[in-house]
Amino acid sequence: MSYFAKCEQTANSSAMLVTEVISADQAFVNTQPGFWVQTSYNTYGNVHYAPSPPAEPHTPDGGIPLRGNYAGIGYTYDVPNDVFYAPMPTSPGTWVLNTSTWLWEDTTPPEA
């Protein structure tokens, strides 16, 4: 079994919105309507982690990360870069998407 994200077109032709995530066999996904992309539960911040257990907490295992991050509903699938990333946080701050980790970073300087 693998994880797959259903991605739907947005107004931005290079980005798709994740609307569903399922655990299924490739053969089943091939019978489903829509555009599906495999995602890895063990990928976060463009790093592959050992499954848990036995590694608690998750530990980088040197494996090949798949598409930047595990997809979630509401995430973006960036077609040209073949990665998933979360929606920009709504908390106060100046948020920039780090294109090495595909995670949002707050670039607001700390108060003195």
Side-chain angles (χ1 to χ4, degrees):
M1 295 286 240
S2 298
Y3 292 96
F4 294 88
K6 185 176 185 180
C7 303
E8 298 191 17
Q9 197 62 53
T10 65
N12 179 345
S13 63
S14 66
M16 299 181 86
L17 180 67
V18 175
T19 58
E20 187 176 350
V21 179
I22 63 171
S23 174
D25 292 319
Q26 181 72 58
F28 173 78
V29 172
N30 291 345
T31 67
Q32 301 305 298
F35 182 73
W36 294 85
V37 179
Q38 188 173 3
T39 186
S40 172
Y41 189 76
N42 297 321
T43 299
Y44 176 76
N46 214 21
V47 174
H48 190 273
Y49 290 86
S52 179
E56 281 287 344
H58 290 306
T59 307
D61 66 359
I64 298 170
L66 181 64
R67 299 193 170 91
N69 294 289
Y70 177 70
I73 294 173
Y75 276 44
T76 296
Y77 174 59
D78 181 316
V79 177
N81 292 298
D82 192 27
V83 296
F84 293 103
Y85 59 87
M88 186 173 67
T90 57
S91 57
T94 305
W95 296 98
V96 174
L97 184 61
N98 179 322
T99 57
S100 294
T101 63
W102 299 101
L103 299 173
W104 292 98
E105 297 177 353
D106 184 359
T107 60
T108 305
E111 293 184 24

